[in-house]
Amino acid sequence: MKKIIAAINMTLDGFCDHTAGIPDDEIHQHYTDLLSNADTILYGRITYQLMEYWRTVLETPSDKKSMNDFAIAIDKIPKIVFSHTLKNVQWKSAKLANRGIEEEVLELKQSRNGGSKDILVGSRSLIIQLMKLNLIDEFQLCIHPVIAGTGLPLFENIKDRTVLKLIKTKTFNVGAITLYYEPKTK
């Protein structure tokens, strides 16, 4: 069965912000590899609209190969967008979810499409919802050496205590570190 992997960028003070990190070639390559080895990525409306930026990089390539490679990877991966306000999506590889998150994720986990590649969750709101449903198999938290001082905390409104097991780490030259955790109950 496929794993549900919550992969998100965070600041050192615990805020989720895809724009506050320090994206360099190494981090772009890390996320390019992550996307290339996944079957699908799940987004909420806000993150989906933020990630649409990468379509412009496809149209007008950057002078950085790592950014262009990431743009290609993010363009290719199928995206499912959960939104109460969007009526359609423009990205060819994206579709709006037509069911609730629990039903959609349970079907994706059991699907044979894409082989045994995992499903990524890249939105804070979806990570919180899936945590409450006990459906996340792995957390990949990329902590950037930035103190934002304000923002949206990842683990907001979580009522139940969750114990995680550190399974590995990955350190980047810019000082960011990805912490890989599994819930101990899985």
Side-chain angles (χ1 to χ4, degrees):
M1 190 177 299
K2 298 177 184 185
K3 290 192 314 188
I4 303 298
I5 298 173
I8 198 156
N9 290 294
M10 297 177 64
T11 61
L12 192 58
D13 52 348
F15 297 115
C16 296
D17 188 338
H18 290 283
T19 64
I22 306 169
D24 67 350
D25 291 344
E26 186 182 22
I27 289 178
H28 278 123
Q29 186 59 53
H30 168 78
Y31 280 107
T32 299
D33 294 343
L34 184 64
L35 289 169
S36 298
N37 290 304
D39 176 58
T40 306
I41 191 162
L42 310 178
Y43 285 131
R45 177 191 57 82
I46 293 170
T47 306
Y48 168 76
Q49 289 177 322
L50 177 71
M51 298 308 282
E52 282 186 306
Y53 161 79
W54 294 101
R55 289 177 39 203
T56 65
V57 176
L58 285 172
E59 295 163 6
T60 308
S62 164
D63 59 347
K64 292 187 164 231
K65 181 182 181 316
S66 64
M67 288 181 66
N68 297 332
D69 291 348
F70 179 82
I72 292 167
I74 195 77
D75 185 56
K76 281 184 187 176
I77 190 168
K79 294 163 238 0
I80 300 175
V81 181
F82 292 84
S83 174
H84 297 293
T85 56
L86 288 178
K87 300 300 178 219
N88 57 55
V89 289
Q90 302 301 314
W91 212 333
K92 290 178 186 168
S93 56
K95 71 175 189 172
L96 287 171
N98 55 13
R99 298 177 287 196
I101 190 167
E102 183 174 20
E103 187 179 354
E104 192 80 47
V105 166
L106 289 173
E107 183 176 306
L108 283 170
K109 279 185 81 145
Q110 296 171 4
S111 170
R112 298 272 185 229
N113 292 346
S116 62
K117 289 185 173 182
D118 297 322
I119 297 116
L120 302 175
V121 185
S123 292
R124 171 192 172 272
S125 61
L126 298 182
I127 291 170
I128 292 169
Q129 290 176 59
L130 290 170
M131 275 189 75
K132 290 178 178 180
L133 294 168
N134 198 31
L135 289 175
I136 295 181
D137 300 300
E138 184 177 307
F139 293 89
Q140 293 184 16
L141 309 176
C142 187
I143 313 299
H144 292 261
V146 172
I147 297 171
T150 186
L152 297 171
L154 175 57
F155 301 113
E156 187 174 51
N157 298 321
I158 302 295
K159 305 287 186 234
D160 296 325
R161 181 174 188 253
T162 303
V163 178
L164 304 173
K165 176 184 175 189
L166 182 67
I167 53 175
K168 72 178 181 176
T169 63
K170 180 176 181 178
T171 304
F172 299 94
N173 292 328
V174 295
I177 186 167
T178 297
L179 304 170
Y180 298 77
Y181 289 105
E182 289 177 344
K184 276 198 166 185
T185 58
K186 294 252 176 202

